[in-house]
Amino acid sequence: MVIRKIIVGVMGGGMASPSDYKIAYNLGGLIAKEGWVLLNGGRPTGIMDASAKGAKDKGGLTVGILPAYDSHQASCYIDIPIVTGMGDGRNYINVLSSDIVVALPGKAGTISEIALALKNRKKVILVNFDTGVLFEDYSKEGLLKDARDEDEVINIIKEEFVLKQ
Amino acid sequence: MVIRKIIVGVMGGGMASPSDYKIAYNLGGLIAKEGWVLLNGGRPTGIMDASAKGAKDKGGLTVGILPAYDSHQASCYIDIPIVTGMGDGRNYINVLSSDIVVALPGKAGTISEIALALKNRKKVILVNFDTGVLFEDYSKEGLLKDARDEDEVINIIKEEFVLKQ
Amino acid sequence: MVIRKIIVGVMGGGMASPSDYKIAYNLGGLIAKEGWVLLNGGRPTGIMDASAKGAKDKGGLTVGILPAYDSHQASCYIDIPIVTGMGDGRNYINVLSSDIVVALPGKAGTISEIALALKNRKKVILVNFDTGVLFEDYSKEGLLKDARDEDEVINIIKEEFVLKQ
Amino acid sequence: MVIRKIIVGVMGGGMASPSDYKIAYNLGGLIAKEGWVLLNGGRPTGIMDASAKGAKDKGGLTVGILPAYDSHQASCYIDIPIVTGMGDGRNYINVLSSDIVVALPGKAGTISEIALALKNRKKVILVNFDTGVLFEDYSKEGLLKDARDEDEVINIIKEEFVLKQ
């Protein structure tokens, strides 16, 4: 019987600013060091590529849920490409497959993942991403949290999963 | 050869305030009167039920894209239940199948539909729904518009589809 | 409240022999004459195109569940294109959305639809399609039936849906 | 950059005969010993459970593409549960995500996976599974092959992936 590792979903834009790219890269590395699995949207760009590279540079395991029809579309830092062939329909699978979702800044794709996660009662940690009033109800419930940086993300995940068990 | 009718997607909460319910009901009726097809998430509740009832009361055609596994889960005002068996994964199909998307107030499910629509370059009309700064870039591009009421929704759709053709 | 029309799914190859094309065309027409809705995979080719054309020539209503990302990929005989953007993943939706499935000869795509229908306890009528021993258990249960031609298909559907109600 | 491991999809019935169960268990072990990844439908039953247990007993990595909405539905021998929430719609993802598909005896669910794999040009190896004439065209093309036992499966995969590279 397997002791299943925590799967941390890291979402964010296909285009990333240098500072967000760096946070995503560092976060991937920290997830790997904790022995957790990194899951993302699998594309070779932006936050997805950065977080996967960070995890691989620290010897982690990376899973990418691809919108594409072919595993060759994956980032070269993805160990396990899951090929859905269903475009952004795969955003739903991204969040259902994550034990917890971390969202760095992104546009409508990332916002859809935050929304689908909250709709399906997954905890979401926003890093450096101001979503305004839109998800206020979920913050009040404690489903949606803010983190300043990658270290605070790791601390929140530990509080949720490690200390509670 | 078919002259295809415009398909208007109407999204919004499974719970609706009386005033939003009334707008959705009226909007369904106006869509029917224009000879357009109403498409929504098909469930027998909130904005979905209201808009479908409004369209049927004016003799319109209604399509519901169900999250459920069984057509018996559909609103009784849906003519064509499309049974996806894929939960909120069907939100992607809702927006791709709509020529234009109208969003009344809702929570994370509705927000995911707005986001998936914009991500996939569908025009979205918000009615009485303040999404704050989150989708500002899409407003600037003209993809996202605001309408005060059901009449303004119809006018915007006519500008987009009827006058441009 | 809507009296929902029976939705008949007609599956079959993207390439069709002239005789299968003719059966599909005639079957579409008979479905329309009964006042039922024709549902198929929506593409402008083979059994899909033939059955939709047959239904439209008799004034029927046609729904196409498209694998594509864009409604422009639909057959011009489809009234309601449902745009899934999920490739053959849509085959599952084809069968769940049909009250009964009719399968004309096809290759692996059609076989996947027969299999998904039977797996999910939908009745399937094969027309001129010998599937060998593969689905024998389902024939014994009465889930899978054979029809010689379009008239026999209509009779079987009536036995299942009209006479039993 | 990751050297991606071959992902072998093992499909087959949720109910398995003792001899098929044993083949699936042994096959999982051999896949693990080659350093390949085992992918299956993830449920705690039949061929899925057997192949995952076999792989874990030899220290392999196992991925399960779940029809369910919740990772708790996975076999306890699955390392990475991918939660699709889309029922048998996930069969399409099973085959797209596999570099090669192995099918042990099963009913309509397994047949749908064979069909979806062949439709999408994935090689399929049947073990002890007589599908009659249905997929004959694909056998002639070399897409569909038969293996007597787990050892022959491994040899065919090596011919396809290792020797050709």
Side-chain angles (χ1 to χ4, degrees):
Chain A
M1 195 177 145
V2 164
I3 307 289
R4 230 171 258 152
K5 293 174 181 173
I6 294 171
I7 299 180
V8 181
V10 177
M11 312 299 151
M15 310 263 288
S17 72
S19 69
D20 289 333
Y21 188 96
K22 196 176 166 197
I23 292 173
Y25 176 84
N26 290 342
L27 178 59
L30 292 175
I31 288 169
K33 282 207 274 186
E34 294 294 338
W36 301 335
V37 174
L38 174 81
L39 180 147
N40 66 29
R43 293 174 50 229
T45 176
I47 298 298
M48 292 174 270
D49 209 46
S51 58
K53 185 173 193 316
K56 289 313 300 174
D57 284 352
K58 299 294 181 195
L61 182 67
T62 56
V63 177
I65 313 285
L66 294 176
Y69 179 77
D70 189 313
S71 63
H72 295 105
Q73 308 292 320
S75 159
C76 65
Y77 304 107
I78 291 294
D79 290 303
I80 312 281
I82 301 297
V83 183
T84 70
M86 54 192 278
D88 292 326
R90 70 80 153 86
N91 293 5
Y92 182 57
I93 301 176
N94 291 359
V95 302
L96 289 189
S97 300
S98 299
D99 291 310
I100 192 161
V101 172
V102 182
L104 279 88
K107 297 176 74 175
T110 305
I111 296 166
S112 78
E113 291 167 318
I114 296 168
L116 288 167
L118 294 172
K119 170 70 163 54
N120 290 283
R121 315 298 300 164
K122 293 278 175 181
K123 297 217 171 166
V124 177
I125 305 170
L126 300 174
V127 190
N128 190 24
F129 194 2
D130 181 8
T131 57
V133 298
L134 202 55
F135 296 115
E136 232 170 23
D137 288 352
Y138 301 95
S139 297
K140 284 178 192 157
E141 282 189 84
L143 264 184
L144 182 66
K145 289 172 192 258
D146 284 286
R148 270 180 315 273
D149 58 24
E150 59 269 28
D151 292 312
E152 198 176 353
V153 171
I154 299 296
N155 287 339
I156 294 173
I157 299 175
K158 282 184 180 170
E159 273 167 33
E160 291 295 336
F161 285 95
V162 183
L163 304 180
K164 283 189 183 166
Q165 278 163 11
Chain B
M1 196 175 143
V2 165
I3 306 289
R4 229 171 257 152
K5 293 174 180 173
I6 295 171
I7 299 179
V8 181
V10 177
M11 312 298 152
M15 310 263 288
S17 73
S19 68
D20 289 333
Y21 187 95
K22 196 176 166 197
I23 292 173
Y25 176 84
N26 290 342
L27 178 60
L30 293 175
I31 288 169
K33 282 206 274 186
E34 295 292 339
W36 302 334
V37 175
L38 174 82
L39 181 148
N40 67 27
R43 292 173 53 227
T45 176
I47 298 299
M48 292 174 271
D49 209 44
S51 57
K53 185 173 193 316
K56 289 312 300 174
D57 283 352
K58 300 293 181 196
L61 182 67
T62 56
V63 176
I65 312 286
L66 295 175
Y69 178 77
D70 190 311
S71 63
H72 294 105
Q73 309 292 319
S75 160
C76 65
Y77 304 107
I78 290 294
D79 291 302
I80 312 282
I82 301 297
V83 183
T84 70
M86 54 192 279
D88 292 326
R90 71 81 154 86
N91 293 5
Y92 181 57
I93 300 175
N94 292 358
V95 301
L96 289 188
S97 300
S98 300
D99 292 309
I100 192 162
V101 172
V102 182
L104 279 88
K107 297 176 75 174
T110 304
I111 298 167
S112 78
E113 290 166 318
I114 297 169
L116 288 166
L118 295 171
K119 170 70 164 54
N120 291 283
R121 314 298 301 165
K122 292 278 175 183
K123 297 218 171 165
V124 177
I125 304 170
L126 300 175
V127 190
N128 189 23
F129 193 2
D130 181 8
T131 58
V133 298
L134 203 56
F135 296 114
E136 231 171 25
D137 288 351
Y138 300 95
S139 297
K140 284 179 193 157
E141 280 189 85
L143 265 184
L144 183 65
K145 291 175 190 255
D146 283 287
R148 270 180 316 273
D149 57 25
E150 58 271 27
D151 292 311
E152 197 176 353
V153 170
I154 299 298
N155 287 339
I156 294 174
I157 299 175
K158 282 185 181 169
E159 274 168 34
E160 291 295 335
F161 285 96
V162 184
L163 304 180
K164 284 189 183 166
Q165 278 164 9
Chain C
M1 194 176 145
V2 165
I3 307 290
R4 229 171 257 152
K5 293 174 181 174
I6 295 171
I7 299 180
V8 181
V10 176
M11 312 298 152
M15 310 262 289
S17 72
S19 69
D20 289 333
Y21 187 96
K22 195 176 167 196
I23 292 173
Y25 176 83
N26 290 341
L27 179 59
L30 293 175
I31 288 168
K33 282 207 272 186
E34 294 294 337
W36 301 335
V37 175
L38 174 81
L39 181 149
N40 67 28
R43 292 173 51 228
T45 175
I47 298 298
M48 291 174 272
D49 209 45
S51 57
K53 185 174 194 316
K56 288 313 301 174
D57 284 352
K58 300 293 180 194
L61 182 67
T62 56
V63 177
I65 313 285
L66 294 176
Y69 178 76
D70 190 314
S71 63
H72 295 106
Q73 310 291 320
S75 159
C76 65
Y77 304 108
I78 291 294
D79 291 302
I80 312 281
I82 302 296
V83 183
T84 70
M86 55 191 278
D88 293 325
R90 71 81 152 88
N91 293 4
Y92 181 57
I93 300 175
N94 291 358
V95 302
L96 289 189
S97 299
S98 301
D99 292 309
I100 191 162
V101 172
V102 182
L104 278 89
K107 297 176 73 173
T110 305
I111 297 167
S112 78
E113 290 167 317
I114 297 169
L116 288 167
L118 294 171
K119 170 70 163 54
N120 291 284
R121 315 299 299 165
K122 292 278 176 183
K123 296 217 173 169
V124 177
I125 304 171
L126 300 174
V127 190
N128 190 25
F129 194 2
D130 180 8
T131 57
V133 298
L134 202 54
F135 296 114
E136 230 170 25
D137 288 351
Y138 300 95
S139 297
K140 283 179 193 157
E141 280 188 85
L143 264 185
L144 183 65
K145 290 174 191 257
D146 284 287
R148 268 180 316 273
D149 57 26
E150 57 271 27
D151 292 311
E152 197 175 354
V153 170
I154 299 297
N155 287 338
I156 293 173
I157 299 174
K158 283 185 180 170
E159 274 168 34
E160 291 294 336
F161 285 95
V162 184
L163 304 181
K164 282 187 183 167
Q165 279 165 7
Chain D
M1 195 175 146
V2 165
I3 306 290
R4 230 171 256 152
K5 293 174 181 175
I6 295 171
I7 298 180
V8 181
V10 177
M11 311 299 151
M15 309 262 289
S17 72
S19 69
D20 289 333
Y21 187 95
K22 197 176 165 197
I23 292 173
Y25 176 84
N26 290 342
L27 178 60
L30 293 174
I31 288 168
K33 282 207 274 185
E34 295 292 339
W36 301 334
V37 175
L38 174 81
L39 182 148
N40 66 29
R43 292 176 51 230
T45 176
I47 298 298
M48 292 174 270
D49 209 46
S51 58
K53 185 174 196 312
K56 289 313 300 174
D57 284 352
K58 299 294 180 194
L61 182 68
T62 56
V63 177
I65 313 285
L66 294 177
Y69 178 77
D70 189 313
S71 64
H72 294 105
Q73 309 291 321
S75 159
C76 66
Y77 304 108
I78 290 294
D79 291 302
I80 312 281
I82 302 297
V83 182
T84 70
M86 53 191 279
D88 292 326
R90 71 78 153 88
N91 293 4
Y92 180 57
I93 301 175
N94 290 358
V95 302
L96 289 189
S97 300
S98 300
D99 292 309
I100 192 163
V101 172
V102 182
L104 279 88
K107 298 176 73 175
T110 306
I111 297 166
S112 77
E113 291 167 318
I114 297 169
L116 288 167
L118 294 171
K119 170 69 164 54
N120 290 283
R121 315 300 298 166
K122 291 279 175 181
K123 297 217 171 166
V124 178
I125 305 171
L126 300 174
V127 190
N128 190 24
F129 193 2
D130 181 7
T131 58
V133 298
L134 203 54
F135 296 114
E136 231 170 25
D137 288 351
Y138 301 95
S139 297
K140 282 177 194 159
E141 281 189 83
L143 265 185
L144 183 65
K145 291 173 190 257
D146 284 287
R148 270 180 316 273
D149 58 24
E150 59 270 27
D151 292 311
E152 198 176 352
V153 170
I154 299 296
N155 287 338
I156 294 174
I157 299 174
K158 283 185 180 169
E159 274 167 34
E160 291 295 336
F161 286 95
V162 185
L163 303 181
K164 282 189 183 166
Q165 280 165 5

